[in-house]
Amino acid sequence: SSQARRIKHGSLCLALATAAPRMATDAGPSGPAITLSHRHVFGLKADVKSNVHYAEETQIIYPAGTNTILWLADQKQQKFFQGPEGAEGITCLAVNSTKRYLAVAEKCSEGAIVTVFDLVTTKKRKTLSTTVALPECDAPEFVCVAFSSDNKFLLTQTGPSPSGKHDWTLIYWMWDKARPMASVKVSNAQNAPIRECSFNPTDSSIVCVIGDGIFKFLQLKDGFKTLPVAPAKLQSFLCHAWLSDDKMLVCCENGDLMLFDNAGEFQTVLQSSPGEPRSATCSLPFSKGFVTGGDDGYIRVFEKSEDPKEIYRKTKTIQLDSGSVTCVRSLALSPSEEVLAVTTSTAQLYQLSLLGQDLLKAEEAPVFEPVLTPFHTGAILGMDVCTRKPLVVTCGIDKSVRVWNYLEKTCELCKFFNEEAYSVAFHPSGFHLIIGFSDKLRLMNLLMEDMRTYKDIPIKACRECRFSNGGQYFAAVSTTTIQVYKTYTCEPIETLRGHNQKVRSIAWTADDSMLVSTGIDGAVYEYNVLHEGRRGANDFVLKGTSFSCVLVYTDPSTGGNTMYVVGTDKMLREVCNGQPQNIIQAGTTLGQIVLSNSAKTLFAAVAEPDAPAPIRCYKFPLDGYFNEFSCHSAPVTRIRITFDDYFLFSCSEDGCLFIFDVRKKDRVVSKREKENVLPPADEILVTRTFLDEKQGQLLELERQVEELSTQIEFQLRHRESFHKEEMVELEEKYTQEIDQERTKLALLREERHDAEMEAEENIKSLMELHAKQTQDLEGSFQHKMMIEVGRYQKLAAERESVHRYWETEHRQLMEKHNKTVAEMKAEFEAKQAEDKRAIQRIMEEKKLAEEVHQETMRQLEQDTDREIEELKEEKELHLKAEKDDKVRLRGMSGIHKRSHEELKRLMQKKEEELRQYTEEARKKQEKIDQLKKERDSNLKEIKDRDRQIGDKEGKIYDLKKQNQELEKFKFVLDYKIKELKAQIDPKSEDIAQMMKQIQAMDSDLEDYHRKNKQLQVNIQQLQSKQRSLQDEIVTQRKKMLESQTIIKRFKNDLHECVQFIQEPKQLKDSVAALYKKYVPNGIKKQELDADIQREYNRQRDYLEKSVESLKRKLLKDSDVHRQDNTRILQENVQLIREINDLRREIDYLKRERQQQRLNVSKLKSGKGVTSSTPVVDPNVAREVETNRTQIEDLRKRIEDQMSLRESYVARHSPMSPTSDESIEGGGHQGDEGRAPAG
């Protein structure tokens, strides 16, 4: 995760002792044992094109410093993408349509660079550089990058180049192979800037470019070719977007929104355009329309309209920040289109929840929430870290002081002030802060939700302040002096003097007895704080150099102090006893340094103006080796490390706070050390007023909870009684419905029974008809089978005769074929011999022609040599004359060339001087403008302060007058209060008597209420009894009506049953059906008389004997029936065998028929070859066709008969139901005949 660079010991390492320089000793080849890894970063780089994208629903991509960050919201982690070495900062970002690849464009003096990362594996896929692919293009940066819709190509737009020859060059890449396919300069004659470029989503060979007065469509076809498209009016175009309905939106600087089709043809200007300058600087399409954001701080949402005149209508306008004008820099929409991410010019990253477009219908203004936490706007000027708590405090030019928790990665507290804060220091306990404002130095308590000032010290614009390591002292810089105070009493101890220019840095020794300082004057002084601030003998002064940071290291073995300073001389100096002991050539300006508490690594931050600022890790003691880790894009202003050496912090002018994990190769923490580690403190500082307010709020909330509980309990009781009443009503309603449904069910059962009886009768008649038809079909099938067997024998004889005829024809054809082959072979051999003789004759002619050609060539060469010699002599004379002329002309050319070079050198020198003068004039003018602005702001501030002082003095005078008048009113009111108290005493006794009367009346009223409730309960019980009796009456009436209906129906059915009195079987069936219909569930058994019981037993014995005799008869009939079934099955098996034999014979006939067809086709084809082939008789062919048709008919009939036979066998194989029924009927008749006799 880090980009490391190893600087060898060959860099300049000088050791100065006793004013005599010597080289530092070699420390070995090993580098620092500590490395840094990115943990978290608070900040955003706002000047990057398209600086926010979504990778997934909970993953956001944005730049910070020189890194690109992938924020995983669900895991609360950051992944870092670092560019190549030598890059000078990120210029633009792009993500492909599938959210798989990320393109990061970075500025580089040698040539612009684009790095493509894989977002899934977080690895680098490809690096595209103009220095490798297009060496002639010297543009240092890309202003826009875009992926094609198929993710195969990448489009890059360069900015202005130093040479001016390759300004605004558009490059078309096949990025996976790092090969440019085409490039073209797309700006106009005025070299106007280009804003954006993109691919056509439906055709990757067409690209679009917009800028100031530039609108071009280009197509890749053997290079770029400009397509003939143009808008209605050329103006300054800021951004564009491809919409979902094959249209393109272009936003103009004057606020117009122009609509084009997919081919670049202008259509219209939207009626709902904002119309304000720079109100649409970025745009984003979505499924229903598009979103725009501008420099006025408004986000506008447009959706498709059904009105043909208004294609898109504005549905919502959202202001980003009502307090100040904030410019929208970039927009991004999550894949589900539920969350909108917004970046601003103030380096903030917000998100807005859309939730299925419910936002667009809401009346209230939506709230933008920070994606991580609010960041600093502008440079961070001060930073310090707490010892006892995991907190870091920062302050910046945005007039805010922020406290960060680096373990939980959150912002604990943020407070804005009216003045800028230049420096800040954190007390080791975490309860106190020192903040240096432009007007004074403030000591503040860090409360739970606020920072509260408890002491103001009159030190203006304090740029450096530090607590001592123990926290009992603090030091603050006042221009050229340093003032030391006691922390808890704020008593001044010493005022340390010595510097003649501004002090830039101070540092305490480990025991807080000494203070070291350095400044712009190039001096390093050591003060003894415990001895009246005396300066020791370790002072060091280097004139002409401005030092920016100092630290002091106390050697535990000797107790001596060694100071390390950095400054504008690009050196890291080690000073001991007032003399430089070791000098490390850094090669760049180091701004801040810090030493780890283990004294093994020194961390230094680069502070080159207008250049990235990496962090260096030097091995300690210093030997020149270091590792470098990229982070900030601007000079670092502060760098700090925690007391346990686990975390490193750095902040810079780019507004970012980087947190690093410090990893040691030899760090081994034992279990005992882990147990002895002091955990971070979790105590907080609160005021008595805050506690009282919280206690009051707690009591108020408890009271509200009690009220709500009472109210909810009452509502529950009310709802319970209401639900009980509803349940009673529903039970009554559903009981009535159930009774009705039961009546309907009884009627439906009767209808179903009638339908079943009718269906059984129909099935019996159909079965009898089917059995008769089956017997008829079997007889006809036997007759047809006999006829077909005779036909089959006849066809077999015919087939045998045709087969013999075919054998004869085949033998004749083979003999004729062999004869023809022998004749053709003899003819081919004769022709081959003739061809050989012709080839031999041609070879002899060729040899003779070659000999003639050789003789002719020899004679031509002799003639050519003679002519060449003559021409050579003539040309040599001419060449000699030309050489003389050349010598003369060369001398003249040298004279002219020298004069031309001299003039060119003079011209370049003058141009360089002119450029320098212009640059100096520009810088001076900028400085003058800046000073004028500062003067105006200071004058304005002075006037405001004077006006405020006057207003406050007037208010004080008015308050004094009001105080005097209130004193007079107080005297009068005291007198009136005494009089009223005298009048109140007699009335109090009357009030007490009335209260007693009220209490007595309340008790009577409660008795009345109780009696009323009892009476209401009695009334409800009587009403419920009345309702139940009414329901019982209704039920009895229904039962009576149902019984009368059943009796009437039974009489009718009994009358119908009596009609069958002469037919015993039908009479029995009718009585059984009548029993089933009216006694479906049987009847309740009742106690019988003894005579009746004896008669019943006698009848039962008789019936049992009858059943046994019937069973014996049934067994005999079953045996007879089984024998009949066996005989039928044997006959069926014989028939199936005959059918299988017929099938085999039919297959054999099929094969024979195919063979005959083959013979016929061969005979027909051989008719044209020879006239001796006999012609097939047409009667034979016709007869074969007839046989084929008859065979097909026979096959169909056999299959029909087989299906009928199988169904018949399946039906007659079990016991016949008709015989069982007849036996059962006979048994019943016997019972009926014998019962009366018994």
Side-chain angles (χ1 to χ4, degrees), residues 45 81 88 243 332 497 539 691 1007 1070 1090 1119 1199:
K45 187 173 174 61
F81 298 94
E88 300 175 6
L243 305 181
R497 294 181 174 85
D539 296 349
L691 285 176
D1007 293 337
S1070 299
D1119 292 335
E1199 289 175 355

Side-chain angles (χ1 to χ4, degrees), residues 113-162:
I113 300 173
V114 174
T115 307
V116 181
F117 295 94
D118 191 324
L119 291 174
V120 177
T121 61
T122 67
K123 293 183 179 180
K124 186 187 298 183
R125 283 293 302 270
K126 195 65 67 175
T127 300
L128 314 178
S129 175
T130 56
T131 57
V132 177
L134 298 170
E136 68 277 4
C137 183
D138 58 346
E141 63 176 338
F142 291 122
V143 298
C144 188
V145 179
F147 279 99
S148 63
S149 58
D150 55 3
N151 306 323
K152 294 180 179 179
F153 306 104
L154 188 72
L155 200 64
T156 57
Q157 176 64 63
T158 67
S161 61

Side-chain angles (χ1 to χ4, degrees), residues 748-811:
L748 290 173
R749 283 178 176 173
E750 292 176 2
E751 293 178 358
R752 187 191 69 177
H753 183 69
D754 296 340
E756 287 177 354
M757 295 295 292
E758 185 178 357
E760 288 178 0
E761 292 177 357
N762 292 334
I763 290 170
K764 288 179 180 178
S765 62
L766 289 173
M767 290 291 289
E768 293 175 356
L769 179 63
H770 179 68
K772 184 178 179 182
Q773 290 178 354
T774 303
Q775 291 177 358
D776 295 339
L777 287 172
E778 285 180 355
S780 62
F781 172 74
Q782 293 292 340
H783 179 66
K784 290 180 180 178
M785 282 295 294
M786 295 301 294
I787 296 171
E788 293 300 327
V789 168
R791 286 185 178 178
Y792 166 73
Q793 292 175 356
K794 183 179 179 182
L795 288 172
E798 293 177 353
R799 186 195 67 80
E800 188 67 26
S801 61
V802 171
H803 182 66
R804 287 194 298 271
Y805 174 75
W806 178 82
E807 288 288 343
T808 307
E809 293 293 328
H810 180 263
R811 186 170 55 256

Side-chain angles (χ1 to χ4, degrees), residues 81 122 150 212 304 314 371 395 432 525 561 592 606 608 611 717 769 925 928 1039:
F81 298 94
T122 67
D150 55 3
D212 288 351
K304 296 177 184 178
K314 183 166 60 178
V371 173
C395 62
H432 312 292
Y525 294 139
N561 294 330
Q592 295 288 314
V606 177
E608 283 287 345
R717 286 200 301 271
L769 179 63
Q925 185 63 35
I928 290 167
K1039 287 182 178 179

Side-chain angles (χ1 to χ4, degrees), residues 953-966:
E953 288 178 352
K955 289 180 180 179
I956 291 168
Y957 179 72
D958 294 337
L959 291 171
K960 285 181 178 179
K961 288 178 68 178
Q962 291 178 5
N963 194 15
Q964 292 175 0
E965 293 177 358
L966 290 171

Side-chain angles (χ1 to χ4, degrees), residues 216-336:
K216 292 184 178 180
F217 267 66
L218 301 101
Q219 187 173 15
L220 184 68
K221 190 180 293 183
D222 298 331
F224 275 123
K225 292 183 181 180
T226 304
L227 300 178
V229 295
K233 179 184 177 182
L234 284 176
Q235 48 186 315
S236 180
F237 302 108
L238 300 180
C239 62
H240 72 292
W242 297 91
L243 305 181
S244 58
D245 53 354
D246 292 336
K247 290 183 174 58
M248 186 178 71
L249 175 76
V250 179
C251 304
C252 305
E253 190 170 9
N254 61 2
D256 289 342
L257 303 180
M258 306 177 71
L259 207 61
F260 296 79
D261 64 6
N262 216 5
E265 294 294 332
F266 173 74
Q267 290 188 345
T268 183
V269 176
L270 296 182
Q271 297 178 3
S272 55
S273 299
E276 299 177 5
R278 297 188 67 82
S279 58
T281 57
C282 57
S283 59
L284 177 70
F286 68 102
S287 59
K288 295 184 179 180
F290 59 90
V291 184
T292 63
D295 288 351
D296 55 356
Y298 283 92
I299 294 175
R300 298 173 175 86
V301 183
F302 297 82
E303 288 189 353
K304 296 177 184 178
S305 174
E306 297 178 357
D307 187 1
K309 295 181 181 179
E310 186 182 12
I311 303 176
Y312 289 91
R313 58 184 178 85
K314 183 166 60 178
T315 58
K316 194 73 174 178
T317 301
I318 310 166
Q319 188 174 6
L320 191 61
D321 190 358
S322 58
S324 61
V325 178
T326 304
C327 303
V328 179
R329 284 285 176 261
S330 184
L331 302 170
L333 197 63
S334 64
S336 64

Side-chain angles (χ1 to χ4, degrees), residues 557-570:
S557 60
T558 62
N561 294 330
T562 305
M563 297 173 288
Y564 297 87
V565 292
V566 291
T568 57
D569 59 350
K570 301 183 180 180

